[in-house]
Every structure is written in C-alpha cells, then in structure tokens.
Amino acid sequence: ELKVITQYTEKNRDLKYQEIIYADIETIINDQGNHDVVCVAIIYGEKEIVFDSVNEFMEYILKIKKVIIYFHNFGRFDSTFILKYIVGHKSLEKTIGNVNIIERNNIIYEILLSKNKVSFRDSLLIIPISLEKIGLNFCDINRKDDFDYSLMSDYVRKDREKVKNLCLQDCRVLKEGFEKFSYIINERFNIKLHTQLTLPSLAFNIFRKEYYSSLTTPISKNPYDIDEFIRRSYKGGIAEVY
C-alpha cells in the first residue's frame, strides 16, 4: 500500500518556454558597504545587450513572454536585485501576475512571473563550478576575462566600456558552457537540461529514467512513522570507499 517513486516523465511545465536568456550583473560596493549595480548584460538569441540599470533590464524583460533567464549565482546574489525591483513596483501586479518563488536554505532556486511565464533561475545550481572553470571545461571559444575586481570602481569611472565587455563576456561563457553541457545530457540521456533546477535533481531523474523500474525494483516513499522506525536501526560508521 506504500507509495513508490515513479518512473521519470518529462515535465510539461518547462516545455512551454521558447527561449533561454543568459544574463550577468556587475556591481561596485558603495560607501555604506552595499552593492550598486553598474550594468546588466544579456544574450538573447543572437542579440547582445547591456543595460545601465536593473530598471532598464526589467523594463525590457517584462515585454517578453515564455523565457528562462539564467544568472550564475542567482540564488545568493542576483536574485536580490530582481526581488528589490519587483517589491518596489507594486503597480506591476497586473502585468506579471503572481510571483512564485522556490527557495531552500536561503537560496532562491527560481522566481517565476506567472502571467508572462518569465522564469529567473540559477545556473550555478546545475553547473556548480565557477564561470572560469566553465570556460576551461566546456567552452571552445570563450573564456572568462582575467580581471581584478578590486579595481571595478576605477574602471566604472574611467573605462565603462571595459566593464560592459566584461559583463557580456561572462554571458558568453555561460551561454557556451550551458549549451555544451545541455547537449551532452540530452545526447546521453534524452533529458533537456532546462527542465531541471539543480544538479541533484538531474542525477535523480537520470537514475529514474535509465536505471530504475517501479515494477521490478520499487523504492517506497515511506510515511513519517515508517521512516522514523527504520532510522532507529541506523548505527553510523564510515561508508566511504577507498
């Protein structure tokens, strides 16, 4: 009578998205110790666009429907600027509908604007390495620029174009790396990467799709009392393989 883990089926909720946008935010730290946004860059199809503020970026995004926007480290950083914009613009309610947030352990996995189906996500949760390593491991063309971020304030004053190019280059690395990893996963397992929010969920769904049968080797979803009963037998110990 126990419920069991089911076979993998592709999530229809993610198949409705038409395109993916790759984005990056550059900031400087002001005298109060807070981050001020100096530019936001995106790659949207063949277009590369740099905005001077989050306001300009969001005004552009809110005219689009059915897209996923990936920031690298969105959950712990970039999401704060998006939420600040949404909270500060109450009049947007009719435009964007409900704002649905998936959050765990103070990390935001997704912000979904329900009406125009715009999903902001964190690519770091599914490729949990730095942009520099993404460039080295997945990219044939792009690499993250070697840049001393302690000098960002100086470049914002003296060479703003360099800052914009830096922001855009991060988007290029993310786009090429994400698409390469997505191709590998789709080729080997026929799973579209954008249907997964995290690397553990991807691994679990690969297991459910390729190596698990709910008919011959079912794994039960234990109710709380059964789970607690089983856990009484846990004795600990070292489980690593050397």
Side-chain angles (χ1 to χ4, degrees), residues 42 60-61 64 103 164 192 211 233:
I42 66 169
Y60 180 88
I61 292 299
I64 302 171
E103 177 268 342
K164 291 181 178 180
K192 294 179 176 60
Y211 310 105
S233 68

Side-chain angles (χ1 to χ4, degrees), residues 76-90:
R76 291 185 182 272
F77 186 71
D78 307 276
S79 57
T80 58
F81 303 107
I82 305 304
L83 287 174
K84 184 177 180 181
Y85 177 88
I86 293 171
V87 171
H89 293 74
K90 297 289 187 182

Side-chain angles (χ1 to χ4, degrees), residues 17-45:
Y17 295 107
Q18 294 177 333
E19 290 193 74
I20 293 176
I21 295 175
Y22 303 92
D24 186 57
I25 292 177
E26 295 295 344
T27 66
I28 57 173
I29 298 177
N30 60 29
D31 295 336
Q32 289 72 45
N34 299 319
H35 287 268
D36 288 336
V37 174
V38 293
C39 67
V40 185
I42 66 169
I43 297 180
Y44 179 24

Side-chain angles (χ1 to χ4, degrees), residues 144-155:
K144 183 171 173 59
D145 288 335
D146 185 14
F147 183 79
D148 185 353
Y149 281 86
S150 67
L151 301 176
M152 180 64 78
S153 296
D154 294 335
Y155 278 103

